[in-house]
């Protein structure tokens, strides 16, 4: 299933369900078929995402490195939270600057 995040301020951001639901949980929103991040909620959402990214980076920096080609116990997808979140953060920031809410649907 896909989540489509939309705003009147810029192009939509489309994500696969697991990634979108992870981001929604970070910003304190319940995953679901529809939802909204209001202009007033956007600064807190962006802050929560940036804090989660920083925490993941810190965890990775402190994790022991895998030797002899062994895979570490990190994210199995190989894609960091930061890479997944940046388009969503950009959508949120552009929407806030334009005074527009962000909505989603599946």
């Amino acid at each position: 299933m896909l989540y489509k995040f939309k705003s009147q301020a810029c192009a939509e951001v489309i994500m696969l369900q697991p990634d979108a639901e992870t981001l929604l949980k970070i910003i304190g929103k319940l995953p679901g078929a529809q939802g909204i991040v209001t202009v007033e909620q956007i600064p807190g959402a962006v802050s929560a995402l940036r804090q989660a990214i920083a925490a993941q980076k810190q965890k990775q920096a402190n994790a022991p490195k895998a030797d002899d080609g062994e895979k570490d116990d990190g994210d199995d997808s190989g894609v960091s939270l930061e890479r997944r979140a940046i388009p969503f953060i950009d959508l949120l920031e552009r929407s806030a600057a334009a005074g527009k809410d962000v909505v989603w649907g599946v």
Side-chain angles (χ1 to χ4, degrees), residues 41-92:
Q41 295 170 332
I42 290 175
V46 171
S47 176
L49 289 166
R50 293 196 188 282
Q51 288 175 7
I53 290 167
Q56 184 186 57
K57 284 183 178 182
Q58 185 65 35
K59 182 179 175 184
Q60 289 173 343
N62 293 336
K65 303 293 182 211
D67 293 331
D68 301 325
E70 293 178 24
K71 188 175 181 180
D72 64 6
D73 292 327
D75 182 10
D76 289 337
S77 69
V79 179
S80 70
L81 176 63
E82 182 176 29
R83 283 197 185 248
R84 299 222 187 263
I86 289 298
F88 186 52
I89 291 171
D90 184 55
L91 173 70
L92 291 169

Side-chain angles (χ1 to χ4, degrees), residues 3 10 15 25-26 30-31 33 41 43 54 64 78 82-83 89 102 105:
Y3 274 71
C10 55
M15 289 186 199
K25 288 176 186 175
I26 290 170
L30 293 175
Q41 295 170 332
E82 182 176 29
R83 283 197 185 248
I89 291 171
V102 174

Side-chain angles (χ1 to χ4, degrees), residues 3-46:
Y3 274 71
K4 292 183 181 182
F5 296 96
K6 301 175 186 179
S7 170
Q8 293 176 347
C10 55
E12 64 187 30
V13 172
I14 300 172
M15 289 186 199
L16 294 173
Q17 179 180 359
D19 301 322
E21 290 181 355
T22 296
L23 297 181
L24 289 172
K25 288 176 186 175
I26 290 170
I27 66 171
K29 294 289 186 176
L30 293 175
Q34 295 179 338
I36 186 168
V37 181
T38 64
V39 173
E40 295 79 19
Q41 295 170 332
I42 290 175
V46 171

